Amino acid sequence: MTEHVEWSEPEAGPAPVPAAVTPADAADAARLVAFGLQPKLQPARDQEYTELLRRYREDGAFARLADAVAAGLGLVVLEVSPRAGMAVTAAEDSVFAVRMGDYARRTSADGSDRFLHGLAHLAVAALAFPRPEDLADDGYIGRVSVNGVDAFVRQACRRLEERAEEVGENTDPATEAPGLEAAWRIWARRSATGATKDARRLAGSTTGIIGKAVAFLTDSGFLQRTGDDNGGTYRTTARYQLQVRDMAGSAAMAELLELGVVPVTDGTPTLLPAEHTEDLELAADAGLPFHASSSS
C-alpha cells in the first residue's frame, strides 16, 4: 500500500535583522548632506563626494539615513545623482532657507525694490526654461543674459498694460489682482541702466536688480557665468533645473508664462516683438536668447 504524503511549503526563516546604524554611518550621511549644501562643488571633482553618492544609490539603508538627516535640517532632497550631486532645497521653516526679506537686505533694497528683486528671479527662471519639456529634459541647458531678461520683463509689462487697458483699468490694481498686475507699473517706470553719463548700471536700475539676482544664483551654484556680453551671459546648471522644477507650479510663474511673451508654436520658443516699441526703454543690444520667428 502506498502512503500518501502531503507536501507543504518550508517554513520561512526569521527575517534578516538589519544592521545597526553606526556612528560612522551617521557621520557619512551627514557628510553627504554637507556636500549637498555646497552647490558649487561638482561631484566629479571630489572622490569622497562621488563615493558617498554611489553608496546612497546602492545602499537603501544609507539612503534612508541621509534623507532623515536632510529632513531633520529642514531640507528637501530634490535629486541624488552624479550630474547634480545631492541637490537639496530648504523648506520654509529650515534654518537654511533664504527668504526674500533676507535677500533684499543683502542687496540693500527698500520695500518696492524687494518686489522687483522677486520679479527678476521669477523672470530668469521663466526665460531659462520656457517650456515644460525643457524642465523635463535632464540634458537641457538654459541660457540667459541680464539685458535679455530686462527686455523680457518689459515686454511682459507691455502685455500687462494692454490687458489692463482692455478692462478699463487706468489706476493701480486692486489688492486682489494677480501679483504681476501690481508689479508691472513699478518695473516699467524704472530706468533700465540708470542716469549716469556713461550709462553705468546702477544698483537700483532694472538691469542692476537683475545683475544682483543672477550673481546670487551664480554664487548659489544655480547659474554659471559664460561671458560679459549683453550685461552678462549665463547658463543653467542641473541644480537650477531641479530648483525650477520645484517652483514650476507657482501661480506667479504660470501667470508670467501665460502672457504669451514666450509662446510655444512648433516647439521652438521665441520672444515676440512688442506691437509698440517706441516708448519701451530697452537696454541697448538686449541679446535675447531666442531668435524671432521668421515670417513666411
Side-chain angles (χ1 to χ4, degrees), residues 18 33 53 121 147 158 185 283:
V33 175
L53 290 172
H121 277 274
N147 292 352
R158 169 64 71 182
R185 289 180 174 86

Side-chain angles (χ1 to χ4, degrees), residues 48-72:
E48 182 185 7
Y49 195 3
T50 300
E51 176 58 27
L52 289 173
L53 290 172
R54 182 198 62 75
R55 185 178 175 188
Y56 181 99
R57 296 193 308 274
E58 297 178 0
D59 185 343
F62 179 74
R64 290 189 294 274
L65 181 59
D67 288 345
V69 171

Side-chain angles (χ1 to χ4, degrees), residues 82-198:
R83 79 178 187 112
M86 185 168 198
V88 295
T89 187
E92 289 186 10
D93 57 350
S94 173
V95 67
F96 297 102
V98 177
R99 294 170 177 79
M100 183 51 66
D102 300 331
Y103 170 79
R105 279 192 289 275
R106 293 183 190 180
T107 58
S108 302
D110 60 20
S112 62
D113 279 7
R114 292 181 188 183
F115 205 6
L116 298 184
H117 278 280
L119 182 54
H121 277 274
L122 182 67
V124 171
L127 197 52
F129 302 102
R131 302 173 298 173
E133 52 265 43
D134 300 333
L135 281 177
D137 181 3
D138 288 346
Y140 181 85
I141 296 176
R143 301 180 187 276
V144 298
S145 70
V146 169
N147 292 352
V149 172
D150 187 54
F152 169 63
V153 177
R154 289 181 181 275
Q155 204 159 320
C157 290
R158 169 64 71 182
R159 288 295 177 88
L160 287 163
E161 181 181 15
E162 292 171 351
R163 191 165 73 180
E165 290 175 351
E166 288 174 3
V167 297
E169 182 184 290
N170 296 316
T171 59
D172 285 340
T175 55
E176 66 271 14
L180 292 180
E181 293 283 6
W184 69 261
R185 289 180 174 86
I186 305 173
W187 192 285
R189 288 195 295 258
R190 188 66 62 92
S191 170
T193 57
T196 59
K197 292 182 179 179
D198 55 359

Side-chain angles (χ1 to χ4, degrees), residues 33-54:
V33 175
F35 279 129
L37 290 170
Q38 302 175 60
K40 285 188 173 182
L41 180 61
Q42 298 181 14
R45 296 183 178 180
D46 191 291
Q47 185 175 356
E48 182 185 7
Y49 195 3
T50 300
E51 176 58 27
L52 289 173
L53 290 172
R54 182 198 62 75

